[in-house]
Amino acid sequence: MRIIISRDDLKQMITYASAKLPEEACGLIAGTEDSEEKIIKKIYYLTNVDHSNEHFSLNPVEQLKAVKDMRVNGLKPLGNWHSHPETPSRPSQEDIRLAHDSHASYLILSLQNREEPVLRAFQVVEGVVSRDELVIK
């Protein structure tokens, strides 16, 4: 699967995640999709109610509000995103364990090297991780 994100959205994600340090930042992604690609049209920035640098839980009230906004704007939920403040852009064992939606895309933004943040996209199917192609436009 190919995931397309705008350069501006990526910059905003980096700014938001950097402001939340040392905690993981998190949110949802929405847009359009077909059999070959998902195009991210909107990124939702949600509160990490765990306030942790090693894991996250989305604020359920904000999550519901985001899903309602997706419906109103004709967007499809595509998955979620979160940052890794101190580790590489790859799913942790906890990320894999909590990845219950095999159709969702999981974007992970590593801030391990603050000067060169790395965003990658993954899918997790029955505990098996595969990396998606990420295109920044």
Side-chain angles (χ1 to χ4, degrees), residues 84-119:
H84 280 185
E86 302 159 5
T87 57
S89 179
R90 63 176 175 249
S92 67
Q93 288 302 317
E94 183 169 352
D95 293 336
I96 295 167
R97 184 177 61 80
L98 297 173
H100 300 296
D101 185 350
S102 62
H103 186 70
S105 293
Y106 298 95
L107 273 60
I108 300 176
L109 175 65
S110 173
L111 298 175
Q112 185 176 30
N113 178 347
R114 306 271 193 273
E115 302 303 314
E116 294 183 33
V118 175
L119 180 68

Side-chain angles (χ1 to χ4, degrees), residues 1-4 32-39 78 102-105 121-123 130-135:
M1 180 68 64
R2 183 172 42 246
I3 313 294
I4 299 173
T32 60
E33 75 174 312
D34 60 28
S35 61
E36 296 179 11
E37 65 185 19
K38 295 179 180 180
I39 301 172
L78 300 177
S102 62
H103 186 70
S105 293
F122 303 90
Q123 285 193 300
S130 61
R131 192 162 148 193
D132 288 330
E133 175 187 3
L134 184 67
V135 177

Side-chain angles (χ1 to χ4, degrees), residues 33-130:
E33 75 174 312
D34 60 28
S35 61
E36 296 179 11
E37 65 185 19
K38 295 179 180 180
I39 301 172
I40 298 172
K41 301 281 189 180
K42 188 165 185 178
I43 297 174
Y44 296 87
Y45 301 93
L46 280 60
T47 303
N48 176 358
V49 296
D50 293 340
H51 300 289
S52 170
N53 66 338
E54 296 180 343
H55 54 86
F56 73 97
S57 294
L58 301 171
N59 177 303
V61 173
E62 294 173 356
Q63 188 174 5
L64 182 59
K65 184 178 177 185
V67 171
K68 286 180 179 179
D69 183 78
M70 290 176 204
R71 287 184 187 138
V72 166
N73 290 294
L75 300 173
K76 182 173 184 169
L78 300 177
N80 68 50
W81 74 275
H82 71 281
S83 64
H84 280 185
E86 302 159 5
T87 57
S89 179
R90 63 176 175 249
S92 67
Q93 288 302 317
E94 183 169 352
D95 293 336
I96 295 167
R97 184 177 61 80
L98 297 173
H100 300 296
D101 185 350
S102 62
H103 186 70
S105 293
Y106 298 95
L107 273 60
I108 300 176
L109 175 65
S110 173
L111 298 175
Q112 185 176 30
N113 178 347
R114 306 271 193 273
E115 302 303 314
E116 294 183 33
V118 175
L119 180 68
R120 291 194 174 121
F122 303 90
Q123 285 193 300
V124 182
V125 179
E126 296 180 9
V128 177
V129 176
S130 61

